[in-house]
Amino acid sequence: MEKWAGTGVIRSVPQPRVTVRPRCLPMASTVGAALVLAVLAQLSPLFLCAAPAGLSRVGTFGPHSLSYDVNINPNLAPGQQWCTVQAQVDQKTFLSYDCGMDKVKSLSALGGKVNATVTWEEQNTALRDMGQMLKQKLADIKAENPRARDLLTLEGRMSCARKSSGCTSASWLLGFNGQMWLYFNSDSQRWTEVSPGSNWMKEMWKNDRDMTEFLYRSSMGDCKTWLKKFLEQWEEELESPGPSSMSPDRVFEGSTASKHVPSILLLILIYFILLALC
């Protein structure tokens, strides 16, 4: 209320209109941001790594892969091959390595060329250390868990693949007694059961920081570096593999990535429901 000077008349002054915003909008924004972060966390690096056709980076070499099949059998007599590694490029074996006796056998013309390079000297040391690491892990498992007393051998496949987009992904498959048990996605550092009943092993290694760091470092670091160096030297000798030449662990990686789709769609649906309610 306001009184006019000298008139005695009281005038009502209109107050500015205040817009009342729905209280749910700030909540929806906060929840929406949280959902976006959750979606990004759920997205597998396989999706983030993919690039549309025609967007390949300059200097890439197409879809090529490098893998190392490691077999650990500490129960063999001294002098026998308790640790062996077979190296494969594009699913073709080119080298066999006795990491216990430090002996290399070339299995192809490419293997002979690899064996004569500085790159192989680097791998020699890394693969020998890898064999010792896995041997010790097998011994620790058998000592800590009664269910592991029948585990005689430990097998692993370290793989890294370079796509046409120039992006490289890496993984490990690990198993015992000739059967694969667990899959480790090096990009996301997630463990997945391959064989039913292997959850106890998954939990044991999931909580083993040294094991996780070793798998991540060897595949994301060593394997990627070796693949890059091989491709720089022997690109012309490696034919681009066809779409059907995908290795088993790459097939498994693609199938596990697709499992994230329903949860991602559910999160997006919840967000739009909140917006509609507001």
Side-chain angles (χ1 to χ4, degrees):
M1 305 293 289
E2 180 180 348
K3 183 176 181 181
W4 287 7
T7 63
V9 178
I10 298 176
R11 176 189 178 192
S12 177
V13 179
Q15 299 297 318
R17 180 176 297 178
V18 178
T19 302
V20 180
R21 299 181 180 272
R23 294 183 178 181
C24 64
L25 286 181
M27 180 188 70
S29 300
T30 303
V31 174
L35 286 174
V36 170
L37 293 176
V39 168
L40 292 176
Q42 289 292 326
L43 282 175
S44 169
L46 288 176
F47 296 121
L48 300 178
C49 201
L55 296 181
S56 299
R57 302 174 188 174
V58 177
T60 59
F61 307 94
H64 290 294
S65 64
L66 184 65
S67 63
Y68 296 85
D69 291 335
V70 187
N71 189 290
I72 305 295
N73 188 352
N75 300 310
L76 294 178
Q80 293 182 312
Q81 292 182 315
W82 65 265
C83 172
T84 59
V85 180
Q86 284 198 338
Q88 299 177 351
V89 58
D90 295 343
Q91 293 83 55
K92 298 176 182 178
T93 304
F94 65 92
L95 272 177
S96 178
Y97 176 55
D98 182 343
C99 40
M101 302 295 292
D102 194 17
K103 294 181 179 180
V104 183
K105 181 180 180 181
S106 300
L107 302 178
S108 68
L110 180 60
K113 293 183 179 181
V114 170
N115 191 22
T117 64
V118 176
T119 302
W120 175 250
E121 291 297 327
E122 298 172 357
Q123 292 184 70
N124 194 352
T125 302
L127 293 175
R128 186 170 60 248
D129 294 342
M130 181 184 299
Q132 293 290 346
M133 172 74 170
L134 295 177
K135 178 183 179 182
Q136 184 59 50
K137 286 299 177 183
L138 178 59
D140 293 343
I141 294 169
K142 298 180 71 172
E144 296 174 7
N145 198 307
R147 285 179 287 185
R149 62 181 180 273
D150 296 327
L151 301 181
L152 304 178
T153 63
L154 189 157
E155 297 85 22
R157 165 172 284 192
M158 177 179 69
S159 302
C160 54
R162 190 168 202 175
K163 303 177 182 179
S164 298
S165 63
C167 183
T168 307
S169 58
S171 63
W172 269 92
L173 274 171
L174 294 159
F176 302 88
N177 297 349
Q179 182 180 9
M180 288 302 174
W181 286 31
L182 299 171
Y183 173 81
F184 179 76
N185 186 322
S186 305
D187 300 61
S188 61
Q189 299 189 44
R190 290 185 178 180
W191 291 90
T192 305
E193 295 178 53
V194 179
S195 177
S198 57
N199 183 65
W200 64 274
M201 179 61 68
K202 170 187 171 183
E203 294 302 319
M204 177 179 290
W205 273 349
K206 183 178 180 181
N207 297 320
D208 188 337
R209 180 175 297 179
D210 291 339
M211 184 64 173
T212 300
E213 290 181 353
F214 159 73
L215 297 176
Y216 178 83
R217 183 179 64 254
S218 59
S219 57
M220 294 291 286
D222 296 335
C223 190
K224 281 188 174 183
T225 300
W226 300 338
L227 177 59
K228 180 177 181 295
K229 290 182 177 180
F230 285 156
L231 294 180
E232 288 173 349
Q233 299 178 45
W234 297 292
E235 176 188 1
E236 296 180 357
E237 299 182 31
L238 298 176
E239 298 178 358
S240 296
S244 62
S245 62
M246 187 177 295
S247 59
D249 53 315
R250 307 307 301 169
V251 174
F252 178 76
E253 184 172 311
S255 65
T256 54
S258 64
K259 294 179 182 178
H260 294 293
V261 174
S263 58
I264 293 172
L265 294 177
L266 178 60
L267 291 173
I268 295 174
L269 177 61
I270 294 174
Y271 178 53
F272 280 108
I273 290 176
L274 284 174
L275 290 180
L277 292 177
C278 289

mmCIF file of all heavy atoms in Angstrom, residues 79-119:
data_model
loop_
_atom_site.group_PDB
_atom_site.id
_atom_site.type_symbol
_atom_site.label_atom_id
_atom_site.label_comp_id
_atom_site.label_asym_id
_atom_site.label_seq_id
_atom_site.Cartn_x
_atom_site.Cartn_y
_atom_site.Cartn_z
ATOM 1 N N GLY A 79 63.344 -79.982 -16.901
ATOM 2 C CA GLY A 79 63.814 -80.150 -18.266
ATOM 3 C C GLY A 79 62.701 -80.220 -19.286
ATOM 4 O O GLY A 79 62.952 -80.085 -20.485
ATOM 5 N N GLN A 80 61.466 -80.455 -18.839
ATOM 6 C CA GLN A 80 60.325 -80.482 -19.743
ATOM 7 C C GLN A 80 59.715 -79.084 -19.852
ATOM 8 O O GLN A 80 59.996 -78.195 -19.049
ATOM 9 C CB GLN A 80 59.276 -81.486 -19.259
ATOM 10 C CG GLN A 80 59.732 -82.938 -19.331
ATOM 11 C CD GLN A 80 58.646 -83.896 -18.893
ATOM 12 O OE1 GLN A 80 58.015 -83.719 -17.851
ATOM 13 N NE2 GLN A 80 58.415 -84.925 -19.707
ATOM 14 N N GLN A 81 58.866 -78.901 -20.839
ATOM 15 C CA GLN A 81 58.291 -77.588 -21.110
ATOM 16 C C GLN A 81 57.132 -77.291 -20.157
ATOM 17 O O GLN A 81 55.967 -77.513 -20.478
ATOM 18 C CB GLN A 81 57.812 -77.502 -22.559
ATOM 19 C CG GLN A 81 58.936 -77.515 -23.588
ATOM 20 C CD GLN A 81 58.403 -77.378 -25.004
ATOM 21 O OE1 GLN A 81 57.440 -78.015 -25.391
ATOM 22 N NE2 GLN A 81 59.033 -76.537 -25.801
ATOM 23 N N TRP A 82 57.442 -76.765 -18.993
ATOM 24 C CA TRP A 82 56.390 -76.430 -18.036
ATOM 25 C C TRP A 82 55.709 -75.107 -18.401
ATOM 26 O O TRP A 82 54.610 -74.818 -17.931
ATOM 27 C CB TRP A 82 56.951 -76.338 -16.617
ATOM 28 C CG TRP A 82 57.944 -75.225 -16.405
ATOM 29 C CD1 TRP A 82 59.301 -75.309 -16.482
ATOM 30 C CD2 TRP A 82 57.646 -73.861 -16.073
ATOM 31 N NE1 TRP A 82 59.871 -74.085 -16.235
ATOM 32 C CE2 TRP A 82 58.879 -73.181 -15.971
ATOM 33 C CE3 TRP A 82 56.463 -73.152 -15.853
ATOM 34 C CZ2 TRP A 82 58.958 -71.818 -15.658
ATOM 35 C CZ3 TRP A 82 56.536 -71.794 -15.547
ATOM 36 C CH2 TRP A 82 57.781 -71.148 -15.450
ATOM 37 N N CYS A 83 56.362 -74.306 -19.249
ATOM 38 C CA CYS A 83 55.800 -73.015 -19.662
ATOM 39 C C CYS A 83 56.002 -72.849 -21.160
ATOM 40 O O CYS A 83 57.142 -72.759 -21.633
ATOM 41 C CB CYS A 83 56.487 -71.878 -18.910
ATOM 42 S SG CYS A 83 56.030 -70.221 -19.494
ATOM 43 N N THR A 84 54.903 -72.806 -21.915
ATOM 44 C CA THR A 84 54.991 -72.634 -23.367
ATOM 45 C C THR A 84 54.080 -71.499 -23.812
ATOM 46 O O THR A 84 53.026 -71.257 -23.214
ATOM 47 C CB THR A 84 54.595 -73.920 -24.118
ATOM 48 O OG1 THR A 84 53.248 -74.284 -23.756
ATOM 49 C CG2 THR A 84 55.538 -75.055 -23.772
ATOM 50 N N VAL A 85 54.498 -70.825 -24.863
ATOM 51 C CA VAL A 85 53.726 -69.722 -25.433
ATOM 52 C C VAL A 85 53.709 -69.880 -26.952
ATOM 53 O O VAL A 85 54.749 -70.132 -27.562
ATOM 54 C CB VAL A 85 54.332 -68.348 -25.083
ATOM 55 C CG1 VAL A 85 53.498 -67.224 -25.697
ATOM 56 C CG2 VAL A 85 54.436 -68.168 -23.581
ATOM 57 N N GLN A 86 52.530 -69.747 -27.534
ATOM 58 C CA GLN A 86 52.407 -69.715 -28.984
ATOM 59 C C GLN A 86 51.874 -68.350 -29.396
ATOM 60 O O GLN A 86 50.834 -67.915 -28.903
ATOM 61 C CB GLN A 86 51.481 -70.821 -29.495
ATOM 62 C CG GLN A 86 52.117 -72.198 -29.486
ATOM 63 C CD GLN A 86 51.385 -73.192 -30.369
ATOM 64 O OE1 GLN A 86 50.209 -73.014 -30.667
ATOM 65 N NE2 GLN A 86 52.085 -74.234 -30.789
ATOM 66 N N ALA A 87 52.621 -67.694 -30.269
ATOM 67 C CA ALA A 87 52.254 -66.353 -30.715
ATOM 68 C C ALA A 87 51.529 -66.435 -32.046
ATOM 69 O O ALA A 87 51.955 -67.169 -32.944
ATOM 70 C CB ALA A 87 53.495 -65.483 -30.843
ATOM 71 N N GLN A 88 50.442 -65.678 -32.165
ATOM 72 C CA GLN A 88 49.635 -65.686 -33.383
ATOM 73 C C GLN A 88 49.368 -64.261 -33.846
ATOM 74 O O GLN A 88 49.078 -63.382 -33.044
ATOM 75 C CB GLN A 88 48.281 -66.383 -33.140
ATOM 76 C CG GLN A 88 48.403 -67.826 -32.718
ATOM 77 C CD GLN A 88 47.043 -68.453 -32.428
ATOM 78 O OE1 GLN A 88 46.027 -67.765 -32.378
ATOM 79 N NE2 GLN A 88 47.032 -69.756 -32.247
ATOM 80 N N VAL A 89 49.484 -64.065 -35.143
ATOM 81 C CA VAL A 89 49.088 -62.800 -35.744
ATOM 82 C C VAL A 89 47.978 -63.107 -36.734
ATOM 83 O O VAL A 89 48.115 -63.983 -37.592
ATOM 84 C CB VAL A 89 50.283 -62.098 -36.428
ATOM 85 C CG1 VAL A 89 50.911 -62.960 -37.507
ATOM 86 C CG2 VAL A 89 49.861 -60.748 -36.999
ATOM 87 N N ASP A 90 46.855 -62.417 -36.576
ATOM 88 C CA ASP A 90 45.660 -62.676 -37.388
ATOM 89 C C ASP A 90 45.284 -64.156 -37.353
ATOM 90 O O ASP A 90 44.962 -64.773 -38.374
ATOM 91 C CB ASP A 90 45.870 -62.222 -38.829
ATOM 92 C CG ASP A 90 46.041 -60.716 -38.941
ATOM 93 O OD1 ASP A 90 45.691 -60.012 -37.979
ATOM 94 O OD2 ASP A 90 46.533 -60.245 -39.983
ATOM 95 N N GLN A 91 45.353 -64.747 -36.161
ATOM 96 C CA GLN A 91 45.000 -66.148 -35.898
ATOM 97 C C GLN A 91 45.917 -67.156 -36.598
ATOM 98 O O GLN A 91 45.556 -68.323 -36.760
ATOM 99 C CB GLN A 91 43.536 -66.445 -36.274
ATOM 100 C CG GLN A 91 42.517 -65.724 -35.402
ATOM 101 C CD GLN A 91 42.258 -64.305 -35.851
ATOM 102 O OE1 GLN A 91 41.916 -64.068 -37.003
ATOM 103 N NE2 GLN A 91 42.402 -63.357 -34.943
ATOM 104 N N LYS A 92 47.099 -66.726 -37.019
ATOM 105 C CA LYS A 92 48.061 -67.633 -37.638
ATOM 106 C C LYS A 92 49.305 -67.718 -36.751
ATOM 107 O O LYS A 92 49.956 -66.702 -36.486
ATOM 108 C CB LYS A 92 48.436 -67.135 -39.038
ATOM 109 C CG LYS A 92 47.262 -67.070 -39.996
ATOM 110 C CD LYS A 92 47.681 -66.485 -41.339
ATOM 111 C CE LYS A 92 46.487 -66.373 -42.274
ATOM 112 N NZ LYS A 92 46.866 -65.755 -43.579
ATOM 113 N N THR A 93 49.619 -68.930 -36.300
ATOM 114 C CA THR A 93 50.753 -69.121 -35.396
ATOM 115 C C THR A 93 52.068 -68.896 -36.142
ATOM 116 O O THR A 93 52.295 -69.475 -37.204
ATOM 117 C CB THR A 93 50.741 -70.537 -34.796
ATOM 118 O OG1 THR A 93 49.483 -70.754 -34.142
ATOM 119 C CG2 THR A 93 51.865 -70.709 -33.797
ATOM 120 N N PHE A 94 52.925 -68.042 -35.572
ATOM 121 C CA PHE A 94 54.205 -67.763 -36.224
ATOM 122 C C PHE A 94 55.402 -68.066 -35.327
ATOM 123 O O PHE A 94 56.530 -68.158 -35.797
ATOM 124 C CB PHE A 94 54.275 -66.320 -36.729
ATOM 125 C CG PHE A 94 54.239 -65.273 -35.633
ATOM 126 C CD1 PHE A 94 55.410 -64.785 -35.077
ATOM 127 C CD2 PHE A 94 53.031 -64.764 -35.180
ATOM 128 C CE1 PHE A 94 55.384 -63.811 -34.088
ATOM 129 C CE2 PHE A 94 52.986 -63.787 -34.193
ATOM 130 C CZ PHE A 94 54.166 -63.316 -33.634
ATOM 131 N N LEU A 95 55.172 -68.240 -34.022
ATOM 132 C CA LEU A 95 56.279 -68.526 -33.115
ATOM 133 C C LEU A 95 55.822 -69.415 -31.969
ATOM 134 O O LEU A 95 54.680 -69.313 -31.499
ATOM 135 C CB LEU A 95 56.848 -67.232 -32.523
ATOM 136 C CG LEU A 95 57.957 -66.496 -33.288
ATOM 137 C CD1 LEU A 95 58.327 -65.214 -32.556
ATOM 138 C CD2 LEU A 95 59.185 -67.373 -33.458
ATOM 139 N N SER A 96 56.711 -70.284 -31.526
ATOM 140 C CA SER A 96 56.495 -71.072 -30.320
ATOM 141 C C SER A 96 57.669 -70.799 -29.384
ATOM 142 O O SER A 96 58.838 -70.822 -29.810
ATOM 143 C CB SER A 96 56.414 -72.563 -30.659
ATOM 144 O OG SER A 96 56.241 -73.320 -29.474
ATOM 145 N N TYR A 97 57.353 -70.535 -28.133
ATOM 146 C CA TYR A 97 58.384 -70.112 -27.180
ATOM 147 C C TYR A 97 58.311 -70.956 -25.918
ATOM 148 O O TYR A 97 57.256 -71.090 -25.306
ATOM 149 C CB TYR A 97 58.197 -68.630 -26.855
ATOM 150 C CG TYR A 97 59.149 -68.087 -25.813
ATOM 151 C CD1 TYR A 97 60.525 -68.218 -25.959
ATOM 152 C CD2 TYR A 97 58.667 -67.431 -24.691
ATOM 153 C CE1 TYR A 97 61.402 -67.712 -25.011
ATOM 154 C CE2 TYR A 97 59.526 -66.911 -23.733
ATOM 155 C CZ TYR A 97 60.896 -67.049 -23.898
ATOM 156 O OH TYR A 97 61.752 -66.544 -22.953
ATOM 157 N N ASP A 98 59.439 -71.543 -25.555
ATOM 158 C CA ASP A 98 59.568 -72.259 -24.285
ATOM 159 C C ASP A 98 60.076 -71.248 -23.270
ATOM 160 O O ASP A 98 61.272 -70.952 -23.203
ATOM 161 C CB ASP A 98 60.556 -73.422 -24.445
ATOM 162 C CG ASP A 98 60.686 -74.247 -23.158
ATOM 163 O OD1 ASP A 98 60.279 -73.751 -22.089
ATOM 164 O OD2 ASP A 98 61.200 -75.371 -23.235
ATOM 165 N N CYS A 99 59.136 -70.684 -22.473
ATOM 166 C CA CYS A 99 59.530 -69.630 -21.540
ATOM 167 C C CYS A 99 60.231 -70.177 -20.306
ATOM 168 O O CYS A 99 60.766 -69.410 -19.499
ATOM 169 C CB CYS A 99 58.333 -68.774 -21.146
ATOM 170 S SG CYS A 99 56.805 -69.681 -20.865
ATOM 171 N N GLY A 100 60.247 -71.511 -20.136
ATOM 172 C CA GLY A 100 61.011 -72.094 -19.040
ATOM 173 C C GLY A 100 62.473 -72.253 -19.403
ATOM 174 O O GLY A 100 63.373 -71.955 -18.606
ATOM 175 N N MET A 101 62.726 -72.697 -20.646
ATOM 176 C CA MET A 101 64.089 -72.922 -21.120
ATOM 177 C C MET A 101 64.600 -71.766 -21.985
ATOM 178 O O MET A 101 65.748 -71.784 -22.428
ATOM 179 C CB MET A 101 64.139 -74.215 -21.937
ATOM 180 C CG MET A 101 63.682 -75.443 -21.178
ATOM 181 S SD MET A 101 64.757 -75.856 -19.778
ATOM 182 C CE MET A 101 66.247 -76.356 -20.653
ATOM 183 N N ASP A 102 63.744 -70.770 -22.237
ATOM 184 C CA ASP A 102 64.101 -69.605 -23.034
ATOM 185 C C ASP A 102 64.549 -70.015 -24.440
ATOM 186 O O ASP A 102 65.613 -69.619 -24.928
ATOM 187 C CB ASP A 102 65.202 -68.792 -22.343
ATOM 188 C CG ASP A 102 65.369 -67.400 -22.962
ATOM 189 O OD1 ASP A 102 64.443 -66.961 -23.669
ATOM 190 O OD2 ASP A 102 66.415 -66.777 -22.744
ATOM 191 N N LYS A 103 63.708 -70.802 -25.115
ATOM 192 C CA LYS A 103 64.003 -71.266 -26.465
ATOM 193 C C LYS A 103 62.867 -70.867 -27.399
ATOM 194 O O LYS A 103 61.694 -70.996 -27.045
ATOM 195 C CB LYS A 103 64.184 -72.783 -26.496
ATOM 196 C CG LYS A 103 65.410 -73.275 -25.720
ATOM 197 C CD LYS A 103 65.538 -74.793 -25.829
ATOM 198 C CE LYS A 103 66.768 -75.294 -25.082
ATOM 199 N NZ LYS A 103 66.906 -76.777 -25.166
ATOM 200 N N VAL A 104 63.229 -70.416 -28.586
ATOM 201 C CA VAL A 104 62.258 -69.948 -29.569
ATOM 202 C C VAL A 104 62.285 -70.847 -30.789
ATOM 203 O O VAL A 104 63.357 -71.259 -31.247
ATOM 204 C CB VAL A 104 62.556 -68.496 -29.992
ATOM 205 C CG1 VAL A 104 61.489 -67.995 -30.959
ATOM 206 C CG2 VAL A 104 62.647 -67.596 -28.781
ATOM 207 N N LYS A 105 61.104 -71.150 -31.327
ATOM 208 C CA LYS A 105 60.999 -71.935 -32.552
ATOM 209 C C LYS A 105 60.110 -71.177 -33.530
ATOM 210 O O LYS A 105 58.954 -70.897 -33.241
ATOM 211 C CB LYS A 105 60.396 -73.321 -32.264
ATOM 212 C CG LYS A 105 60.283 -74.204 -33.500
ATOM 213 C CD LYS A 105 59.695 -75.556 -33.154
ATOM 214 C CE LYS A 105 59.576 -76.437 -34.389
ATOM 215 N NZ LYS A 105 58.978 -77.768 -34.052
ATOM 216 N N SER A 106 60.663 -70.856 -34.699
ATOM 217 C CA SER A 106 59.903 -70.158 -35.727
ATOM 218 C C SER A 106 59.021 -71.148 -36.469
ATOM 219 O O SER A 106 59.477 -72.220 -36.872
ATOM 220 C CB SER A 106 60.847 -69.465 -36.715
ATOM 221 O OG SER A 106 61.669 -68.531 -36.043
ATOM 222 N N LEU A 107 57.759 -70.796 -36.665
ATOM 223 C CA LEU A 107 56.801 -71.676 -37.322
ATOM 224 C C LEU A 107 56.348 -71.150 -38.672
ATOM 225 O O LEU A 107 55.482 -71.746 -39.302
ATOM 226 C CB LEU A 107 55.592 -71.895 -36.406
ATOM 227 C CG LEU A 107 55.906 -72.485 -35.025
ATOM 228 C CD1 LEU A 107 54.639 -72.604 -34.211
ATOM 229 C CD2 LEU A 107 56.592 -73.834 -35.142
ATOM 230 N N SER A 108 56.920 -70.046 -39.113
ATOM 231 C CA SER A 108 56.591 -69.489 -40.422
ATOM 232 C C SER A 108 57.694 -68.530 -40.824
ATOM 233 O O SER A 108 58.585 -68.212 -40.038
ATOM 234 C CB SER A 108 55.241 -68.759 -40.388
ATOM 235 O OG SER A 108 55.331 -67.594 -39.601
ATOM 236 N N ALA A 109 57.627 -68.072 -42.082
ATOM 237 C CA ALA A 109 58.617 -67.108 -42.550
ATOM 238 C C ALA A 109 58.543 -65.824 -41.742
ATOM 239 O O ALA A 109 59.563 -65.205 -41.421
ATOM 240 C CB ALA A 109 58.389 -66.819 -44.030
ATOM 241 N N LEU A 110 57.327 -65.422 -41.377
ATOM 242 C CA LEU A 110 57.157 -64.235 -40.558
ATOM 243 C C LEU A 110 57.774 -64.435 -39.185
ATOM 244 O O LEU A 110 58.388 -63.528 -38.623
ATOM 245 C CB LEU A 110 55.677 -63.888 -40.425
ATOM 246 C CG LEU A 110 55.343 -62.648 -39.579
ATOM 247 C CD1 LEU A 110 55.994 -61.406 -40.168
ATOM 248 C CD2 LEU A 110 53.833 -62.459 -39.485
ATOM 249 N N GLY A 111 57.642 -65.653 -38.641
ATOM 250 C CA GLY A 111 58.233 -65.941 -37.343
ATOM 251 C C GLY A 111 59.737 -65.793 -37.354
ATOM 252 O O GLY A 111 60.339 -65.307 -36.393
ATOM 253 N N GLY A 112 60.388 -66.211 -38.458
ATOM 254 C CA GLY A 112 61.829 -66.052 -38.563
ATOM 255 C C GLY A 112 62.245 -64.598 -38.565
ATOM 256 O O GLY A 112 63.259 -64.222 -37.960
ATOM 257 N N LYS A 113 61.452 -63.755 -39.230
ATOM 258 C CA LYS A 113 61.767 -62.328 -39.260
ATOM 259 C C LYS A 113 61.542 -61.683 -37.898
ATOM 260 O O LYS A 113 62.315 -60.822 -37.472
ATOM 261 C CB LYS A 113 60.914 -61.638 -40.328
ATOM 262 C CG LYS A 113 61.250 -62.070 -41.754
ATOM 263 C CD LYS A 113 60.418 -61.300 -42.761
ATOM 264 C CE LYS A 113 60.784 -61.713 -44.185
ATOM 265 N NZ LYS A 113 59.997 -60.966 -45.202
ATOM 266 N N VAL A 114 60.476 -62.103 -37.223
ATOM 267 C CA VAL A 114 60.195 -61.553 -35.899
ATOM 268 C C VAL A 114 61.306 -61.912 -34.927
ATOM 269 O O VAL A 114 61.747 -61.091 -34.117
ATOM 270 C CB VAL A 114 58.836 -62.072 -35.379
ATOM 271 C CG1 VAL A 114 58.648 -61.695 -33.916
ATOM 272 C CG2 VAL A 114 57.708 -61.524 -36.216
ATOM 273 N N ASN A 115 61.785 -63.143 -35.001
ATOM 274 C CA ASN A 115 62.794 -63.632 -34.076
ATOM 275 C C ASN A 115 64.104 -62.860 -34.197
ATOM 276 O O ASN A 115 64.913 -62.841 -33.261
ATOM 277 C CB ASN A 115 63.044 -65.120 -34.333
ATOM 278 C CG ASN A 115 63.876 -65.763 -33.251
ATOM 279 O OD1 ASN A 115 63.934 -65.266 -32.136
ATOM 280 N ND2 ASN A 115 64.536 -66.855 -33.577
ATOM 281 N N ALA A 116 64.324 -62.226 -35.333
ATOM 282 C CA ALA A 116 65.583 -61.517 -35.566
ATOM 283 C C ALA A 116 65.482 -60.025 -35.258
ATOM 284 O O ALA A 116 66.377 -59.263 -35.623
ATOM 285 C CB ALA A 116 66.019 -61.716 -37.020
ATOM 286 N N THR A 117 64.432 -59.598 -34.594
ATOM 287 C CA THR A 117 64.234 -58.171 -34.347
ATOM 288 C C THR A 117 64.412 -57.822 -32.876
ATOM 289 O O THR A 117 64.361 -58.680 -31.988
ATOM 290 C CB THR A 117 62.828 -57.733 -34.776
ATOM 291 O OG1 THR A 117 61.860 -58.419 -33.961
ATOM 292 C CG2 THR A 117 62.579 -58.054 -36.234
ATOM 293 N N VAL A 118 64.602 -56.540 -32.630
ATOM 294 C CA VAL A 118 64.686 -56.045 -31.258
ATOM 295 C C VAL A 118 63.346 -56.204 -30.561
ATOM 296 O O VAL A 118 63.278 -56.426 -29.344
ATOM 297 C CB VAL A 118 65.126 -54.569 -31.255
ATOM 298 C CG1 VAL A 118 65.124 -54.004 -29.841
ATOM 299 C CG2 VAL A 118 66.504 -54.413 -31.890
ATOM 300 N N THR A 119 62.251 -56.107 -31.323
ATOM 301 C CA THR A 119 60.915 -56.261 -30.750
ATOM 302 C C THR A 119 60.773 -57.607 -30.060
ATOM 303 O O THR A 119 60.209 -57.710 -28.972
ATOM 304 C CB THR A 119 59.843 -56.119 -31.841
ATOM 305 O OG1 THR A 119 59.975 -54.854 -32.474
ATOM 306 C CG2 THR A 119 58.449 -56.238 -31.249
#
